[in-house]
Amino acid sequence: MVQKILITGGCGFVGSNLAIYLKNDFPKLEITCFDNLKRRGSELNIQRLKENEITFIHGDVRNIEDFNEVGEIDLLIEAAAEPSVLSGIDSPPNYVLDTNLSGTINCLNFALKNKAKFLFLSTSRIYPIAALSKIAYEVSNTRFTISPHQTMPGISQKGIAENFPLEGARSFYGTSKLSSELIIQEYGEFYSMDIIINRCGVLTGPWQMGKIDQGVAMLWLARHYWKKDLSYIGFGGEGKQVRDILHIHDLYELVKKQIENFEVFNQKIFNVGGGQDVSISLQELTTICEDITGNKINISQVAETRPADIPVYISDNTKIQTICDWKPQLAPTDVLASMYDWLLQNESLIKKLF
């Protein structure tokens, strides 16, 4: 087991939760969380880290000199990112590229200097928009369902596998993460660095400060909780587009297995998500939010589809499940229930963020 871990993006939703889960399970671990606090609400996690005896360093992965504040490590978990799929599409791409690509290179060089293992949290958004839009699907009352009849490799009713086509545009966010994946593999090959790449689907859970373009499940629940309006955007405005969702603790259970047995997963890339069993459409998400909160809100319909929107994405977890016994445990209702409890307990602290 490793002893000293650096988590970049360590005050973000994913990084802070992974840090705290790890510290609770392995109290002797020395964990440092490194974050530039750009994401609104990330500053709220500083106290959580402190209460769990986790070191916080205010630093930016874009600035290599900021790593001088960090001591020796033997594992780097790269969770720093500009995660909005609209980044660079509705604004200049500098920040998303500098953070998600140049920042990853700085992290790689710091890990190499320390001869540390490297675990990269990538995204399902590395798959091209045009190819995802060509997935054949059927339309039911509440959702789009992947058809059993497909013409492309890497797609079945289980979802999207790692051999899905990669040719085409995918957003600046997805491109920066895919570029990082390629460079990480070069470090693994030519510097003999131990590396793991997890292509995560939609992650959610307590302490996520959801927005329209990232963290939609939390945003949907929070808007119902505070009785604020929402919109079904794109694909006719019916809310039938589908994603699989993965509770942050389910992701942690996989990361823990990977850390404990790094050699089993070394030099490999995995699709990691809720899969078919933990998938949900916006319509279905609305129903769960109404049931949990007891509130119904106004949801307008916007027929026009935005750039980078896709009708359906479900992670095919077959590859990861062939080498370990990991499987998501929390169903969509359980995921949303845990988030609702968090909203109840922290209402005054977080209301201004939603």
Side-chain angles (χ1 to χ4, degrees):
M1 186 67 182
V2 298
Q3 301 298 320
K4 298 178 180 180
I5 300 177
L6 173 65
I7 302 179
T8 54
C11 274
F13 159 63
V14 174
S16 62
N17 277 305
L18 292 182
I20 291 168
Y21 290 143
L22 280 167
K23 191 67 174 180
N24 288 340
D25 281 351
F26 305 99
K28 293 184 179 179
L29 278 179
E30 296 179 27
I31 303 176
T32 299
C33 284
F34 182 97
D35 200 294
N36 68 0
L37 302 179
K38 182 178 186 292
R39 177 69 175 253
R40 190 180 180 201
S42 59
E43 69 280 357
L44 300 179
N45 288 313
I46 297 175
Q47 183 62 31
R48 295 176 64 219
L49 297 176
K50 183 178 180 181
E51 290 170 356
N52 285 274
E53 299 181 346
I54 295 167
T55 300
F56 167 67
I57 292 177
H58 188 195
D60 194 314
V61 293
R62 296 174 297 167
N63 302 326
I64 189 63
E65 61 272 14
D66 287 0
F67 287 86
N68 294 335
E69 301 295 318
V70 183
E72 293 182 356
I73 61 167
D74 49 16
L75 170 67
L76 195 154
I77 299 176
E78 224 290 61
E82 167 48 65
S84 170
V85 73
L86 297 179
S87 295
I89 295 175
D90 56 2
S91 61
N94 303 65
Y95 182 76
V96 63
L97 297 177
D98 288 346
T99 300
N100 295 358
L101 179 53
S102 300
T104 296
I105 294 170
N106 288 338
C107 291
L108 281 164
N109 287 330
F110 185 73
L112 184 64
K113 175 184 175 182
N114 282 268
K115 299 180 180 179
K117 297 177 172 65
F118 195 88
L119 196 158
F120 184 61
L121 297 181
S122 190
T123 173
S124 60
R125 281 294 188 167
I126 62 94
Y127 297 110
I129 297 163
L132 291 173
S133 297
K134 291 178 183 176
I135 294 172
Y137 61 86
E138 299 166 354
V139 183
S140 71
N141 288 336
T142 63
R143 64 158 58 197
F144 300 142
T145 302
I146 297 175
S147 169
H149 308 292
Q150 301 293 332
T151 59
M152 294 182 293
I155 175 65
S156 70
Q157 289 184 293
K158 290 182 179 179
I160 286 82
E162 291 81 358
N163 63 328
F164 191 81
L166 289 176
E167 183 177 353
R170 55 189 50 76
S171 77
F172 288 100
Y173 166 57
T175 294
S176 61
K177 298 295 276 188
L178 179 59
S179 299
S180 291
E181 285 189 14
L182 295 172
I183 293 170
I184 290 165
Q185 291 173 79
E186 299 298 314
Y187 275 68
E189 175 70 21
F190 295 109
Y191 297 138
S192 300
M193 181 181 286
D194 293 335
I195 59 108
I196 297 171
I197 296 171
N198 292 326
R199 291 173 177 166
C200 301
V202 173
L203 301 174
T204 196
W207 294 100
Q208 185 176 44
M209 312 304 172
K211 303 190 297 181
I212 286 293
D213 54 349
Q214 197 273 327
V216 66
M218 178 58 81
L219 175 70
W220 221 256
L221 180 62
R223 290 285 179 87
H224 278 81
Y225 184 84
W226 280 297
K227 299 180 183 179
K228 295 183 178 181
D229 294 348
L230 282 167
S231 299
Y232 293 138
I233 300 175
F235 306 101
E238 296 182 323
K240 293 186 178 182
Q241 54 264 56
V242 170
R243 299 291 185 279
D244 58 349
I245 60 175
L246 185 67
H247 192 279
I248 185 61
H249 192 267
D250 277 332
L251 174 65
Y252 165 69
E253 289 296 332
L254 174 61
V255 168
K256 180 169 69 170
K257 289 178 183 293
Q258 292 175 328
I259 293 173
E260 291 180 308
N261 299 282
F262 209 96
E263 67 282 356
V264 174
F265 306 88
N266 192 23
Q267 309 298 327
K268 294 181 176 68
I269 299 174
F270 304 100
N271 282 1
V272 174
Q276 184 64 49
D277 291 342
V278 198
S279 65
I280 194 167
S281 72
L282 287 179
Q283 261 197 50
E284 294 160 354
L285 180 59
T286 296
T287 299
I288 294 175
C289 290
E290 289 175 348
D291 290 344
I292 289 176
T293 65
N295 298 330
K296 287 194 174 185
I297 62 173
N298 177 58
I299 302 181
S300 61
Q301 295 181 298
V302 180
E304 184 179 355
T305 302
R306 297 174 303 183
D309 279 355
I310 53 176
V312 58
Y313 184 91
I314 294 173
S315 305
D316 182 348
N317 292 323
T318 299
K319 182 178 179 181
I320 190 69
Q321 291 173 346
T322 59
I323 63 173
C324 75
D325 60 356
W326 175 80
K327 182 180 180 181
Q329 299 299 307
L330 296 175
T333 51
D334 301 321
V335 173
L336 271 294
S338 75
M339 293 154 62
Y340 179 68
D341 289 342
W342 174 72
L343 287 173
L344 281 175
Q345 294 166 14
N346 296 277
E347 179 175 354
S348 60
L349 183 67
I350 59 178
K351 184 176 182 179
K352 61 184 179 181
L353 301 173
F354 292 95

